[in-house]
Amino acid sequence: MLVRDGVSGPEVFLQRRVEAMAFAAGMTVFPGGGVDPSDAQAEITWAGPGPQWWAERFGVDRARAQALVCAAVRETFEECGVLLAGPTADSVVSDTSVYSDARTRLERRELSLGQFLAAENLVLRADLLRPWANWITPTVESRRYDTRFFVAVLPAGQRADGATSEAEHVRWSTPAEAVARWKAGADVLLPPTWSQLIALGEYSSADEIFSATTDFEPIEPVLETVDGKPRLRFPNNERYFADYPEGSRLRGSRPAD
């Protein structure tokens, strides 16, 4: 979740996924993606909380924690051009356009994050990330994900863009605006995205969001029957379904070929 301060309060960067995506097609989401095997490389120069710190918060081993952090940095760069890295442990690049070729090669998996950072003499800034939440796809889905949500503040001088094949539209929005668009039926929000927007809306600045301490217990929605109809159970689900726009349709996994 990439945030910045706006005129009306903190804003978050959102993408509407293209209809061709295998999961959550057409949904409005935060930038993100899956862990690549190369993300676990040990050679990456690292600044900020180390892999063991992240491992303790994620409840995983050290190698997996490093892979998760590296995936967050890589996917943020691939999907919106924001790079959480700098030439030193206390600096961050201000213009990422000079790395546009590397960004394309990363997305095509022709280049690993470790190779890119080493070639450009860049340090991964793990201190520019914070753990936020952990949601697990319900068992009813054919494609299942154990998703860690991170939060980062947009670095000074950088801009988030829509130059990714996975998004048809991008925008900055306050959490309240994003939820209002969902209520009006303009966007479709999966429960995890909606839940994070509701949580972000409680803060008055990007720095306040970044400094927040959140509950990182895993949340796995459960399918149950309510009044004869199937419904997912998760924290605040009654509020979600009370505001659910008429005619809207959640889309999870596409059927396997």
Side-chain angles (χ1 to χ4, degrees), residues 74 77-78 99-113 115-116 119-120:
R74 177 181 51 74
F77 182 46
E78 288 179 17
Y99 307 120
S100 59
D101 179 64
R103 179 182 176 186
T104 300
R105 293 180 64 203
L106 280 165
E107 188 171 12
R108 292 175 178 170
R109 297 298 180 266
E110 299 171 356
L111 182 70
S112 72
L113 178 67
Q115 291 168 336
F116 163 60
E120 301 296 340

Side-chain angles (χ1 to χ4, degrees), residues 36-44 46 63 66-67 70 112-116:
D36 189 86
S38 65
D39 290 325
Q41 294 188 112
E43 306 88 61
I44 291 177
W46 188 292
Q66 174 169 313
C70 290
S112 72
L113 178 67
Q115 291 168 336
F116 163 60

